Amino acid sequence: MIQIPDQKLKELLIKDQLVAPELFEEVLKDAQRMNYGVADVLISRNIITFEYYLSALANYFGVEKANLLTRPIDENILKLLPEDLARQKRAIIFSREPDGALQAAMEDPSDLNIIEFLEKALKASIKPFLASPDDLNKGFALYGQRTAEDFKKLIEENIKATLRSRAAGAKEAAVELPVVAIVDNILNHAVSLRASDIHIEILEEGVLIRYRIDGILHEIIRMPKPIHPSIIARIKLLAGLKLDEHFKPQDGRFRYKIGNDLIDTRVAVMPVLYGEKIEMRLLAATQRPLSSEELGMFEDTIKLITENIFKTYGMVLVCGPTGSGKTTTLYSVLNTLNRPEVNIVTVEDPIEYDMKYINQTQINPVAGITFANGLRAILRQDPNVIMVGEIRDEETAEIAVQAALTGHLVLSSLHTNDAVTAVPRLIDMKIEPFLVAAVLNAIEAQRLVRRICQDCRVSYKPGQEILEAIKQQMKELNLESKFAPPQMLYKGAGCYACANTGYKGRLGIFEVLNVSEQVRKLIVSPSFSLDALRDLARKEGMITMFEDGLRKVEQGVTTLEEVFRVIRE
């Protein structure tokens, strides 16, 4: 993200009474130490919002914001600039001025070299506008329509060439141009559709490619079975895996470049009935740490979590099923805690993002590094904060509890359905109730819901059937809601930007169990039960995930159907 000069930004923020001079200097030092922009740190710590900074950037550069979410894009003009150049230059040509000048939404409207390049390439003068990531993504989505049309054609052409190949072995097949082109097209297409995962599955009759987009799997294309060994060999070669090993799981990773964007690709190979299945997780290599607000947290949730992560010892747990965003939340917390005076050490499986000035250890069972052994080693590194990727077994739970008891703040995740269930889960791992009560600071649970596409969002009045469904869900969860039935609901009608799904992107719904003195007393009480804990948490003001979801439904950022879907999973 482009930056306003530090002194100018400081003057602006002080003028708008958003920071004190001392706080700005503190943030500036942290930004320099971690090699982030000052604005990135300010946003990730909720000191300013991203929207505020965009407006400040536009004013500083003396340009308008593009606002392509509300402004139409002329597709004929868009295609004057090829997609690969648009991605490389981070610029979208979206309309034309009355005098013939082309309007360009640019990530950096002050870059005179890019403006000059566009003017020469398009043989027209350029009027720059400031583009947000959403603006650029909307333009790339329009390109994506053509990409989707070309994708199958390109794949089919390269499949024919690969089937004609006479490569002697897997290594030779992996570097042949048609196979390279197939894998490149699969990766490019996945990124254009904002996919988080690519599944390459071998079936009895062929090969199935599926993408996970906003948490939902979509079938993309089927290919003939003979192409499968060459694709597997190509991906293994990229990920540094053994090409001749077909009967054991393998894990690896590689970095892939699309335009100026770097994508870290985590690869998992698994032997299945008809051959080998590959799963690739796509992660932005240069992603800015997300703030709590960007994760989808409301102020009351942020306040509870912040109070508990700044305690000098104890344990904060993040709970939810696989794929519910627990790791992203933990990284956001680590970014908040990352200070010169704090020694943070983690043990993870896998390390998803490289965080500067945080000592991250990768699990490696072959080398004898498990969560338990890694945690023992961490305790000899003089840590202030310890992050254990996941508490999976009794040994790890015991060491984590001991660390929390001896003056360390321990962050970790558990696979439980909600916050209160984490307590009996720890007890089930042979942690004595009095120790559970002593170490826990807070337990946060979450799910991910899809965001309504803002390009095609429409409102409607809820019918009696919907209101009854809300009441029934409240009854099933034993909730006496303090929320009045919504007067207006929202949904996505479907458009090119969201591939006609009505959704684009995801955010979290959360609940936080604050471990108060009353909660501690109940945990050690002989009369402890899950229902009693849930009732006490509600009495002390805990907002459940369902209620948090309803708040987001009322705000028009997600749908009631989405909240029901993830709550009932």
Side-chain angles (χ1 to χ4, degrees):
M1 184 167 65
I2 58 172
Q3 302 288 317
I4 297 174
D6 296 341
Q7 189 58 37
K8 289 286 185 183
L9 182 58
K10 179 180 178 180
E11 291 171 5
L12 175 64
L13 295 177
I14 291 174
K15 178 185 173 185
D16 289 346
Q17 298 183 338
L18 292 173
V19 298
E22 301 79 17
L23 176 59
F24 186 90
E25 291 302 322
E26 178 189 325
V27 171
L28 177 60
K29 287 179 183 177
D30 285 348
Q32 291 169 343
R33 185 176 67 92
M34 294 185 288
N35 199 29
Y36 288 140
V38 180
D40 292 324
V41 178
L42 288 165
I43 293 167
S44 67
R45 293 183 182 171
N46 295 317
I47 297 171
I48 63 174
T49 66
F50 185 67
E51 289 71 23
Y52 171 88
Y53 186 66
L54 274 180
S55 297
L57 274 175
N59 289 333
Y60 178 75
F61 291 122
V63 298
E64 296 177 49
K65 290 194 290 184
N67 292 327
L68 295 186
L69 294 183
T70 56
R71 185 180 300 194
I73 296 176
D74 186 321
E75 293 188 42
N76 293 323
I77 289 178
L78 173 82
K79 291 171 184 175
L80 293 175
L81 184 67
E83 182 182 5
D84 57 342
L85 286 177
R87 287 185 179 275
Q88 183 184 342
K89 303 300 183 182
R90 305 293 292 171
I92 297 292
I93 308 299
F94 64 91
S95 190
R96 193 185 294 273
E97 293 276 300
D99 63 1
L102 294 174
Q103 296 178 338
M106 300 173 58
E107 186 174 66
D108 184 358
S110 69
D111 193 324
L112 298 179
N113 289 328
I114 292 180
I115 293 173
E116 184 181 354
F117 172 86
L118 293 175
E119 288 180 337
K120 286 181 178 178
L122 301 174
K123 296 181 174 56
S125 61
I126 295 293
K127 180 179 179 181
F129 289 72
L130 176 66
S132 69
D134 284 340
D135 291 329
L136 293 177
N137 286 336
K138 180 176 178 180
F140 295 151
L142 267 176
Y143 281 116
Q145 284 185 307
R146 184 174 177 183
T147 302
E149 293 165 5
D150 293 344
F151 175 68
K152 290 186 179 180
K153 183 179 176 183
L154 290 168
I155 291 290
E156 286 169 5
E157 289 172 357
N158 286 293
I159 284 173
K160 289 174 184 176
T162 304
L163 293 175
R164 291 194 299 267
S165 167
R166 296 182 180 180
K171 191 167 185 179
E172 291 80 3
V175 295
E176 286 202 330
L177 289 178
V179 173
V180 172
I182 289 172
V183 173
D184 284 352
N185 274 291
I186 289 171
L187 288 164
N188 287 340
H189 192 223
V191 171
S192 74
L193 294 178
R194 302 174 293 103
S196 61
D197 298 82
I198 301 171
H199 292 255
I200 301 177
E201 305 171 38
I202 179 68
L203 309 175
E204 183 180 9
E205 69 281 0
V207 180
L208 174 64
I209 309 292
R210 296 197 288 174
Y211 297 163
R212 189 175 294 279
I213 303 169
D214 294 334
I216 305 296
L217 272 174
H218 299 268
E219 182 175 323
I220 301 300
I221 195 171
R222 290 175 182 256
M223 298 189 290
K225 199 168 184 177
I227 198 76
H228 182 256
S230 299
I231 293 175
I232 296 294
R234 175 63 185 166
I235 295 170
K236 283 183 176 180
L237 188 67
L238 288 171
L241 304 178
K242 295 178 182 178
L243 273 67
D244 58 350
E245 177 58 74
H246 305 291
F247 302 103
K248 290 182 181 178
Q250 295 189 73
D251 295 313
R253 63 195 308 157
F254 63 92
R255 182 164 283 186
Y256 186 73
K257 189 170 185 179
I258 300 178
N260 287 338
D261 296 330
L262 289 174
I263 308 296
D264 277 334
T265 307
R266 198 176 80 210
V267 178
V269 184
M270 169 71 79
V272 292
L273 182 60
Y274 295 108
E276 292 176 280
K277 177 188 183 296
I278 280 188
E279 199 280 343
M280 292 188 283
R281 171 67 58 85
L282 308 178
L283 301 161
T286 54
Q287 182 169 300
R288 173 179 58 80
L290 296 176
S291 69
S292 302
E293 287 178 338
E294 289 170 313
L295 293 175
M297 292 183 185
F298 286 119
E299 192 59 42
D300 49 10
T301 304
I302 295 171
K303 183 173 182 290
L304 272 176
I305 291 177
T306 303
E307 286 174 355
N308 285 290
I309 64 174
F310 278 104
K311 293 179 179 177
T312 54
Y313 64 91
M315 184 182 287
V316 175
L317 295 176
V318 177
C319 301
T322 302
S324 60
K326 299 187 296 296
T327 302
T328 302
T329 299
L330 285 170
Y331 278 135
S332 177
V333 169
L334 289 179
N335 182 63
T336 302
L337 294 170
N338 194 359
R339 300 286 194 280
E341 65 273 15
V342 180
N343 179 23
I344 303 174
V345 189
T346 78
V347 54
E348 307 173 52
D349 184 26
I351 296 172
E352 293 196 7
Y353 294 109
D354 176 16
M355 301 192 73
K356 291 188 182 297
Y357 295 96
I358 292 179
N359 304 284
Q360 297 171 270
T361 302
Q362 167 71 52
I363 290 296
N364 185 354
V366 176
I369 304 176
T370 63
F371 277 119
N373 290 342
L375 190 47
R376 285 195 188 92
I378 282 175
L379 290 172
R380 297 190 289 273
Q381 294 294 318
D382 185 32
N384 299 107
V385 178
I386 298 169
M387 195 270 270
V388 184
E390 183 185 342
I391 296 177
R392 297 178 180 171
D393 52 55
E394 295 174 13
E395 188 179 13
T396 306
E398 183 181 351
I399 301 167
V401 166
Q402 292 301 321
L405 283 171
T406 53
H408 306 92
L409 178 70
V410 177
L411 309 171
S412 191
S413 68
L414 268 182
H415 281 85
T416 63
N417 287 327
D418 55 21
V420 296
T421 312
V423 173
R425 178 81 179 101
L426 288 174
I427 294 172
D428 187 52
M429 288 181 173
K430 305 296 190 293
I431 305 299
E432 293 290 340
F434 75 91
L435 289 176
V436 174
V439 300
L440 284 178
N441 292 345
I443 305 166
E444 182 261 327
Q446 63 185 67
R447 297 285 192 283
L448 291 178
V449 294
R450 290 181 289 173
R451 287 181 184 268
I452 296 173
C453 175
Q454 297 303 300
D455 286 334
C456 60
R457 189 178 76 161
V458 294
S459 62
Y460 65 99
K461 288 194 174 183
Q464 191 59 37
E465 185 179 339
I466 292 175
L467 298 177
E468 287 299 325
I470 295 174
K471 290 178 182 177
Q472 181 60 32
Q473 186 67 39
M474 288 288 183
K475 187 177 179 181
E476 289 176 11
L477 296 172
N478 295 316
L479 300 175
E480 292 181 7
S481 178
K482 58 188 177 184
F483 299 106
Q487 300 299 307
M488 190 67 69
L489 294 179
Y490 301 86
K491 64 181 179 180
C495 65
Y496 58 82
C498 61
N500 290 312
T501 63
Y503 298 99
K504 188 178 176 185
R506 290 191 290 176
L507 77 160
I509 58 173
F510 306 90
E511 66 183 26
V512 181
L513 172 62
N514 188 44
V515 183
S516 64
E517 284 306 311
Q518 292 302 313
V519 170
R520 295 184 202 279
K521 289 177 182 178
L522 178 60
I523 292 172
V524 299
S525 167
S527 61
F528 170 79
S529 71
L530 202 55
D531 287 339
L533 180 56
R534 190 173 281 113
D535 290 343
L536 177 58
R538 291 284 296 151
K539 194 178 295 183
E540 294 192 344
M542 183 181 84
I543 295 171
T544 66
M545 279 186 285
F546 181 66
E547 292 169 312
D548 190 50
L550 281 185
R551 295 195 290 182
K552 291 173 171 105
V553 167
E554 290 177 318
Q555 284 196 343
V557 294
T558 191
T559 64
L560 194 60
E561 290 81 3
E562 268 298 285
V563 175
F564 280 140
R565 179 180 68 84
V566 300
I567 289 294
R568 290 169 176 171
E569 281 181 344

